[in-house]
Amino acid sequence: MRILVTGGAGFIGSHLVDHLLGQGHEVVVLDNLSTGRMENIRHLLEHPRFRFARSSITDRTVMDRLGSQADVVFHLAAAVGVKLIVERPVHTIVNNVMGTEAVLQMALRYGTRVLVASSSEVYGKGAAIPFHEDDDVLLGPTSRFRWAYSASKMVDEFLGLAYQREYGLPVVAVRMFNTVGPRQTGAYGMVIPSFVGQA
């Protein structure tokens, strides 16, 4: 298959790209390198089935060109990291929501399957363990910018599910929990790598 990975130069995205290439797929990474890093994909630059485009998912011309050639989109691009989210809430909300909308509009034009990467943050202050996808959600006040990320990822899920219901677009949302591993950085306030680095 021909696969587009948004945010493919990030920690999780770059490992996904390695896996997809190992499965024999053609992969294009779209990443503006705001939190992703070239070091994460440098080993792939000469790979015959890999291409990299440095641009934003909100650049509709680039998104349309790359999306028109894709069978599947793994949409991982997002504002991430506690420090970044608290310091730049507008950036967080606009990039996450408008970026996902741009991906879904492109996918609808070409009938492309989409995986939207969400977050365990959408469970909010959930007290029930284990979490369930249909649990009610309690978030903090809008004056606490920490919740901008949770709310924006919830809207991403709402958008994906709405495109599926209204237009029949094949969309899957995946809620990721905290992860740690090679290529991860604590530069943007990601909590776990900071703890690991201090240890």
Side-chain angles (χ1 to χ4, degrees), residues 2-170:
R2 296 170 302 174
I3 300 173
L4 173 61
V5 180
T6 70
F11 160 54
I12 294 172
S14 64
H15 287 287
L16 173 62
V17 171
D18 285 343
H19 176 76
L20 294 171
L21 289 169
Q23 297 291 307
H25 303 294
E26 294 179 28
V27 180
V28 175
V29 164
L30 175 64
D31 201 306
N32 66 4
L33 301 179
S34 60
T35 55
R37 300 180 305 152
M38 278 305 296
E39 294 80 35
N40 291 346
I41 57 170
R42 193 171 311 282
H43 65 286
L44 300 173
L45 294 178
E46 301 301 320
H47 195 289
R49 286 182 279 106
F50 175 81
R51 287 186 300 142
F52 172 68
R54 182 175 182 173
S55 186
S56 171
I57 53 176
T58 57
D59 184 326
R60 298 196 182 245
T61 302
V62 172
M63 178 61 68
D64 188 75
R65 188 180 79 243
L66 298 178
S68 69
Q69 303 165 15
D71 301 308
V72 178
V73 177
F74 286 88
H75 175 44
L76 279 68
V80 295
V82 175
K83 184 174 187 288
L84 176 70
I85 289 159
V86 170
E87 291 178 356
R88 300 187 61 202
V90 172
H91 169 83
T92 299
I93 295 164
V94 169
N95 276 343
N96 289 357
V97 176
M98 303 305 282
T100 296
E101 171 72 355
V103 169
L104 292 169
Q105 284 182 352
M106 173 279 299
L108 183 62
R109 264 193 304 283
Y110 299 107
T112 309
R113 293 180 290 163
V114 181
L115 179 141
V116 174
S118 187
S119 167
S120 60
E121 288 291 315
V122 302
Y123 291 109
K125 296 180 178 185
I129 303 291
F131 296 139
H132 296 279
E133 290 180 10
D134 56 356
D135 284 343
D136 289 336
V137 176
L138 174 64
L139 298 180
T142 55
S143 58
R144 301 272 317 271
F145 291 128
R146 175 242 189 272
W147 297 106
Y149 178 74
S150 306
S152 69
K153 296 310 281 184
M154 288 177 79
V155 172
D156 287 354
E157 288 190 24
F158 277 127
L159 277 170
L161 295 172
Y163 269 77
Q164 184 180 62
R165 178 176 289 180
E166 282 191 46
Y167 306 121
L169 184 69

Side-chain angles (χ1 to χ4, degrees), residues 161-179:
L161 295 172
Y163 269 77
Q164 184 180 62
R165 178 176 289 180
E166 282 191 46
Y167 306 121
L169 184 69
V171 178
V172 172
V174 176
R175 293 181 181 171
M176 298 184 207
F177 283 70
N178 287 334
T179 55

